[in-house]
Structure formats: structure tokens, C-alpha cells
Amino acid sequence: MSVTPLRALPLDELRQRSSSKWRTYPADILPLFVAETDFPLAPAISAALERAVRLGDTGYTPPDPGIARAFAGFAERRFGWTVDPTRVRTTGDVMIGVVELLRAVTSPGDRVVITPPVYPPFFDTVIEAGAEVERVPLVPPSPDDAGGRWRLDLPGIEAALAAGARAVLLCNPHNPTGTVHTRDDLAELARIAARHGAAVVSDEIHSPLVHPGVRFTPFLDASEEAARIGYAVTSASKAFNLAGLKCALMVTADERTAAVVKALPWEVEWRTGLFGALAGIAAFSPESDEWLDGLHAALDDNRRLLADLLAEHVPAARYRIPDAGFLAWVDLTELGWGDNPAAKIRREAKVAFHIGPYFGTEGAGHVRINFGCSPEVLREAVERVGALVRR
């Protein structure tokens, strides 16, 4: 059955928004940097928020707002993953959950493995939790292999854990590469972590946005060992553009890990926004599945369009079409625009991409492009870069 792609909102309407994407730079700059999308809210979410405003339902979030059950239903429908709602606890956002879980599973000064290039807050949250960053970069695909995939450096992670690292902070699907780690790799990661008595905290915020033909494996569902030593943190905020409403989920699949989450301070849960919980319930409901399918169709078109546009206008760019999400990791090293080509592009082409080196030293010469926009905006952005290349 064919799905009609969602249409992004027009630029003049988007520029009325007050969020970071639209207020960080002047109006002459096309913003394709921060991970906000340009689509209208899912109707079920709009209805839930409008009802709350009409009722003045703006108080504290209750102990059980219903989002754990809603997420369990979503996980079963979309991933074939059975989640026990009693092992789901809320907090304000995914990075709050990550910090609190790392505090719970490490001691001050312990080392935590991250896999750069990776979402910039990973570096900061490890430090905020009182631990130290242990970098084990992803293994990049061969430049000659157009269909190649980024992979976890499993021997490197094992060496780090054998040398004393106490946890792995996983990004699955991975930001910025868009990689969806395979079940086999996740199961092997779990075996390695279990062998060394380490925990795995998996950020799965992009999981609702896995593209056609790709199978997402939740870390906790990868194996019995993964269920025993893992923690997942997720949210509706990326797929449904709800970051400002502040609600994320910490999920466990074992009695021992559930006890760790239950023992977190009450304040961790109190940081949950009521509007975030209400919107998340609506997002995870079957009523929003059709909207999400339309978003998938739009993003699938755009990830392929970006490949065509770069080939036409910026042929020196290297880009692997991502498995998930609306973020593209693009290597512009061959243009000779330095470690941070985003600065030149923003200054001279009036397009804001995310800064590659923020994702680690592996990001030198790279940019991250948000293609969660209209095809017209994406085309205009790449054409502006192409004009800069031809100067």
C-alpha cells in the first residue's frame, strides 16, 4: 500500500516558530542544523495539547500518566518488542536519563565508552555523571564501498572494558551517521559487557524513524544478556518534534536493572513535563501511526534526494544514505574548507549545517545536515553550497 508523504510547512509559517531552529540565526540563513523537523504536529498530539490548554491542565505530572503503557503498545506494533510497562520510568529528556543512569552504574572517575563521531552531548553527560570519556570510534565504511556500513569496534570496546571501563553509552540508531546496529553486533556487545561486569546505556531516541528495508533491534531485545545488563532511554521527541515538552522514558528488562531505575531520586521523575507525557501518549497511540508512516515516506524521499543533489552540486561530498532518522553525515574534506566547513557555508552560502568537529575529532571536515524539511528547502540549501563550490 502506497503512503502519501507528509508535506512540510511553508517557510513563512516556520519562521513564526520560536524554537532554537528558527531563532538562532537571522532570517536570511536556511537552518538545517539542530534536530527539529518542519512538519505539522500529528493531529492526535495537537488534539491532546489543545484539550489540556482548554482545561487548564498545566499542573504537575502524575506518577502514572499512561505513557508507559502507550510506549509498550508502540514497541510491540513497530518493533515486535514486548515491554513491561512496570519497568518504564519517565524523566525530562533522554540526556537527563542518561546522566542519572550513568551516575547509578558508575563511580566517580570510572571510564565510559562512547563511539564517536557521536551526538555532542554524549561527551558532556559522561562528565556530568562524574565519569571520564573513553573514546572507541566507530569503524567507518570503506570509501570504495558505496553500500558499506559504519560498525561498532567490538574488539576496541572489549579492550576498553578489559582495561577497566565500567559502562558503554550506545547510540542506536546512531547520530550522526544514521547507522542502525545489527542484532548480531548488539548481542556481541552485550556478551562483551557482561563478561566484564559492565552496563550498557542505549540512547534509542531515533528508533521510531528507521527507514524501509532496515530492521531496528532494541538493545534490550538483542539477547538475554542485553536484557540483563542494559538500560534503554527513549522518547517521542525526535520523531514527533516534541523536544520542548520534556518527556523521556527509561526502560529496563530485568529485575536487577529495574531496581536500579526505581532507586533513582524522585526528582528525576518529577522533571517530566505534563505536556510531554500527554503528547507522548498521543504520539505512541495507534491513532498516530498513519502520520508516522507519512513522515517515513517524506524522509525516505529526502534522504535519497540529498544524495542526488550532492552528486549534482557538490560532487566532492561523500555521503552514505542513512538507515534511520533525518540527519545526514556528509564528508566535505575534499573541498579543502578546513576542519569546520559549516562555518564557511554559514558565512558565505547562508546555510546553517551542524558543526562536524562537535561530534568528535572524527568530525573534522564534516557537516551534519537536517533533511527533515521540504524538498524545496533541501534543494535550495544544497544549490547554495554548490554555488559556493563553483566560485
Side-chain angles (χ1 to χ4, degrees), residues 23 25 34 43 105 119 129 140 142 177 199 204 208 220-221 235 249 261 296 314 354 358 365:
R23 295 299 171 93
Y25 298 111
V34 72
V105 301
Y119 183 49
S142 167
T177 67
E204 300 185 353
L220 299 181
D221 197 43
S235 174
L249 307 172
V261 175
H296 280 168
V314 194
H354 211 326
Y358 282 3

Side-chain angles (χ1 to χ4, degrees), residues 197-223:
V200 176
V201 178
S202 184
D203 171 357
E204 300 185 353
I205 196 170
H206 292 274
S207 60
L209 295 177
V210 172
H211 293 301
V214 181
R215 178 76 175 180
F216 170 69
T217 301
F219 179 75
L220 299 181
D221 197 43
S223 68

Side-chain angles (χ1 to χ4, degrees), residues 300-384:
D300 187 29
D301 288 347
N302 277 2
R303 67 180 178 141
R304 299 177 192 280
L305 173 63
L306 180 57
D308 294 340
L309 290 171
L310 290 171
E312 180 181 357
H313 298 284
V314 194
R318 292 200 298 269
Y319 160 61
R320 179 191 171 276
I321 295 175
D323 299 330
F326 51 85
L327 305 171
W329 188 236
V330 181
D331 184 351
L332 300 179
T333 304
E334 291 186 15
L335 293 176
W337 290 351
D339 286 351
N340 180 20
K344 179 180 177 70
I345 291 168
R346 185 174 63 250
R347 184 175 61 249
E348 299 182 31
K350 302 299 183 183
V351 177
F353 296 148
H354 211 326
I355 296 168
Y358 282 3
F359 297 80
T361 56
E362 297 76 11
H366 290 67
V367 295
R368 193 190 73 178
I369 301 175
N370 178 347
F371 57 83
C373 56
S374 71
E376 294 78 15
V377 167
L378 187 60
R379 181 178 298 277
E380 171 68 18
V382 178
E383 286 178 349
R384 289 189 190 185

Side-chain angles (χ1 to χ4, degrees), residues 27-88:
D28 63 338
I29 290 181
L30 282 179
L32 283 79
F33 67 113
V34 72
E36 299 179 26
T37 56
D38 295 354
F39 301 94
L41 287 178
I45 295 174
S46 295
L49 296 176
E50 288 166 2
R51 180 177 185 275
V53 170
R54 188 169 64 250
L55 292 173
D57 191 8
T58 54
Y60 290 112
T61 307
D64 180 15
I67 193 168
R69 293 187 300 279
F71 175 72
F74 180 87
E76 189 72 53
R77 290 194 315 277
R78 307 298 291 204
F79 310 140
W81 175 30
T82 301
V83 172
D84 181 349
T86 67
R87 291 179 173 167
V88 178

Side-chain angles (χ1 to χ4, degrees), residues 44-45 48 64-68 70-71 236 242 275-286 288:
I45 295 174
D64 180 15
I67 193 168
F71 175 72
L242 305 173
F275 274 24
L278 295 173
I281 292 166
F284 289 136
S285 73
S288 291

